[in-house]
Amino acid sequence: MTRLFNEPAAFADEMIEGFVASHGRWVRRVNGGVARSTKSTPETVALVIGGGSGHYPAFAGLVGQGLAHGAAMGNLFASPSAQQVYSVAKAANNGAGVLLGYGNYAGDVLHFTQAQERLRREGIDCRSIAVTDDVSSAPLAERQKRRGIAGDLTVFKVAAAAAEAGYDMDGTVEIAERANDRTRSFGVAFSGCTLPGAENPLFTVPEGRMAVGMGIHGEPGIDETDIPTADKLAELLVSKLLTEVPDGLSAQGARVVPILNGLGSVKYEELFVVYRRVAQLLAEAGLEAVDPQVGELVTSFDMAGTSLTLFWLDSELEELWNAPCDAPAFRRGAVSAAALEVFDGAEPADVVLPLPEATDESRAAAVRVLAALAAAKGAVDANVEELGRIDAIAGDGDHGIGMERGVRAAVEAATDAVERGAGAASTLHLAADAWADRAGGTSGALWGMALRAVGDAIGDSNRPDGGAVAAGVAGAAASIMGFGKAKVGDKTLVDVLVPFRDALSAAVGSGQSLTDAWGAAATVAQQAAEETANLLPLMGRARPHAEKSLGTPDAGAVSMALIVRAIHNTFAEAKAAATTTKENA
């Protein structure tokens, strides 16, 4: 359990504040995360890494000379937003481009890709490396679908060393990809982790049992067994990884970096007992262990578990792995670096941009937009625990928390926009940015896209009618499906969004009022959400454990259905109020 926290929603921000206060020799606070507080070599590639908080020392602990130049830090178990990644990359850029490094999770891919596109539009050479080392998360034939776990360290370390040595962007990307291709990891867990303020862990493992193939966000494992002895666990880990010797290599005579990683609450002494047998097994297989690492390198809050990583070296990779570095959580050799000359420790204040001109009709519509978002917040707040429970069946259980953070931020932004006289589109755009930025994760990116698309369709000039709103919903569906690549039948929110879009467009086209059309479409959405219980997930973190979710609806689909119904209630209330006013006139 997590014992020490204040307000759970503020935990990540307060954690970052304390980390920077205690590690100012290496890092400084910037919008979106941290960056080096020391000088970097001008005109060299900058490595910016990141992901959700709760995995320390990943990712902030790996920022420093010879390692990452910055880390974008999302909320607990939620990817950083595109804005966070962009801000850290801008702060870390040395003039030769930015390489973004992250684990291969849907939310991270969405947000880091958005940030990459934005940086490129500004003329900054930006590339990405998504780490895919977890052998349990997809078969070898689909390695591109595997998630990144403790192998993050090997990829980030050699990429950073290459950048520090003056490799250009192409060379840095090539070495990062080679390291990723030669890294394999496999893990187990004995108990779940509990986020601050949560009454229960994200998942549980029966007493005396061990989940095999567990992910670092609590994704269910691929098997469950009795807890073995330390030696038997070592044999399981090593034997699994030796079934995947990288192409062109053989175990005999190869040099590998073994990393035995603790996931949060397994004692170092226990890890040493396991590594004793790991070392014996590697030697018996003809492998030479180089610079073994035993300790906590990528954790999962307070999860009890461990993973083994094997990093298969060549001469260049070995030289880069052994290159000096100095970061809060990973140091080797001698590194000297001067402090930045101008830095007062304060994070720059957010700039408030002027609002576009809006008509009185659009300002009135903005008030209704705020009411709709407030209703969405009420629906999410009332169901946050249930959404988390549904998500934990085959995912990581954070959907409710992420939706809660996102919709609250959207309401705050919309409230400020309305008070400043914004039109409907501007209100939705600001709410979209706030939702995506605060929620992070896949749902944050997708809801940000959805709100922005509706805003684009209704504008700041006219009173939105049914046609404009329907066009906005259609635009939201197109944006989400185009970017996330999900389609109907993949067991995602798209399974609700598409039938909702079609029903809304048909009802508006037949002449129904927006209120009636939205109500009819909301009923279709609810039915579609329920029917996702019969689907197997083909996208996201639940995909490797599809059978576990059969019989349970998709959490994203359920939350979307809840929200569109809540929004309809605001339409109906406004219509009833208008009718009463007319009758009393």
Side-chain angles (χ1 to χ4, degrees), residues 54 113 177 185 223 243 345 362 460 474 482 507 542 548 565:
T113 301
E177 291 177 343
S185 300
D223 195 8
T243 65
S362 187
D460 277 331
K548 293 181 179 293
R565 174 57 68 190

Side-chain angles (χ1 to χ4, degrees), residues 112-202:
F112 277 86
T113 301
Q114 287 179 328
Q116 174 179 275
E117 292 173 349
R118 182 176 176 185
L119 290 163
R120 286 177 173 176
R121 287 195 298 269
E122 296 182 5
I124 297 173
D125 186 7
C126 186
R127 317 280 183 89
S128 295
I129 178 70
V131 181
T132 55
D133 60 304
D134 185 1
V135 303
S136 68
S137 54
L140 183 59
E142 298 180 321
R143 270 188 53 216
Q144 75 282 0
K145 295 182 179 179
R146 288 179 170 175
R147 59 199 174 207
I149 51 175
D152 285 356
L153 175 63
T154 66
V155 178
F156 298 162
K157 173 61 178 69
V158 300
E164 204 80 34
Y167 285 46
D168 64 11
M169 178 62 83
D170 288 340
T172 304
V173 171
E174 189 279 328
I175 203 70
E177 291 177 343
R178 195 192 320 168
N180 189 42
D181 289 341
R182 287 168 167 256
T183 302
R184 304 283 192 275
S185 300
F186 185 58
V188 299
F190 314 110
S191 71
C193 51
T194 305
L195 300 184
E199 295 183 1
N200 300 301
L202 289 179

Side-chain angles (χ1 to χ4, degrees), residues 58-437:
F59 296 88
L62 303 180
V63 175
Q65 291 292 321
L67 248 164
H69 297 73
M73 302 173 66
N75 284 295
L76 294 175
F77 289 8
S79 65
S81 69
Q83 177 62 41
Q84 288 178 289
V85 178
Y86 168 83
S87 296
V88 175
K90 290 281 284 187
N93 183 26
N94 298 318
V98 178
L99 175 60
L100 303 176
Y102 50 90
N104 188 36
Y105 299 92
D108 293 285
V109 172
L110 286 170
H111 288 292
F112 277 86
T113 301
Q114 287 179 328
Q116 174 179 275
E117 292 173 349
R118 182 176 176 185
L119 290 163
R120 286 177 173 176
R121 287 195 298 269
E122 296 182 5
I124 297 173
D125 186 7
C126 186
R127 317 280 183 89
S128 295
I129 178 70
V131 181
T132 55
D133 60 304
D134 185 1
V135 303
S136 68
S137 54
L140 183 59
E142 298 180 321
R143 270 188 53 216
Q144 75 282 0
K145 295 182 179 179
R146 288 179 170 175
R147 59 199 174 207
I149 51 175
D152 285 356
L153 175 63
T154 66
V155 178
F156 298 162
K157 173 61 178 69
V158 300
E164 204 80 34
Y167 285 46
D168 64 11
M169 178 62 83
D170 288 340
T172 304
V173 171
E174 189 279 328
I175 203 70
E177 291 177 343
R178 195 192 320 168
N180 189 42
D181 289 341
R182 287 168 167 256
T183 302
R184 304 283 192 275
S185 300
F186 185 58
V188 299
F190 314 110
S191 71
C193 51
T194 305
L195 300 184
E199 295 183 1
N200 300 301
L202 289 179
F203 68 94
T204 58
V205 179
E207 187 72 26
R209 301 283 283 177
M210 177 178 76
V212 179
M214 178 65 65
I216 61 169
H217 301 92
E219 302 95 333
I222 58 175
D223 195 8
E224 187 180 288
T225 68
D226 289 338
I227 296 178
T229 63
D231 283 0
K232 290 295 183 182
L233 175 58
E235 291 164 12
L236 170 67
L237 297 173
V238 172
S239 63
K240 177 64 176 178
L241 293 182
L242 291 187
T243 65
E244 286 206 16
V245 178
D247 292 343
L249 300 177
S250 66
Q252 195 63 39
R255 294 168 65 81
V256 297
V257 175
I259 301 174
L260 187 63
N261 175 60
L263 285 168
S265 62
V266 172
K267 295 290 293 179
Y268 273 63
E269 289 87 346
E270 296 174 274
L271 294 176
F272 293 139
V273 173
V274 174
Y275 186 74
R276 158 193 161 276
R277 182 58 179 152
V278 168
Q280 293 170 356
L281 292 167
L282 295 178
E284 291 171 8
L287 293 164
E288 183 174 351
V290 176
D291 189 32
Q293 301 292 317
V294 179
E296 293 184 345
L297 297 161
V298 178
T299 62
S300 184
F301 227 70
D302 60 336
M303 184 191 296
T306 185
S307 65
L308 178 66
T309 299
L310 293 182
F311 176 34
W312 300 73
L313 298 169
D314 61 24
S315 58
E316 186 177 19
L317 289 171
E318 184 168 351
E319 181 180 357
L320 293 169
W321 172 261
N322 287 324
C325 65
D326 183 27
F330 198 78
R331 309 173 202 171
R332 59 158 39 98
V335 175
S336 60
L340 289 175
E341 294 176 358
V342 180
F343 174 63
D344 60 7
E347 188 174 7
D350 292 332
V351 176
V352 179
L353 299 175
L355 294 169
E357 291 293 327
T359 64
D360 289 341
E361 284 184 323
S362 187
R363 291 192 185 97
V367 175
R368 293 187 65 181
V369 166
L370 175 56
L373 289 169
K377 175 182 176 297
V380 170
D381 287 347
N383 291 276
V384 62
E385 291 186 6
E386 177 62 9
L387 293 172
R389 185 195 69 79
I390 294 171
D391 188 41
I393 299 297
D396 56 13
D398 70 344
H399 182 72
I401 295 172
M403 289 292 292
E404 184 178 48
R405 284 193 297 254
V407 73
R408 286 182 178 181
V411 169
E412 290 175 3
T415 300
D416 177 69
V418 168
E419 290 175 350
R420 292 195 289 134
S426 295
T427 299
L428 280 165
H429 288 164
L430 291 168
D433 291 345
W435 191 318
D437 189 38

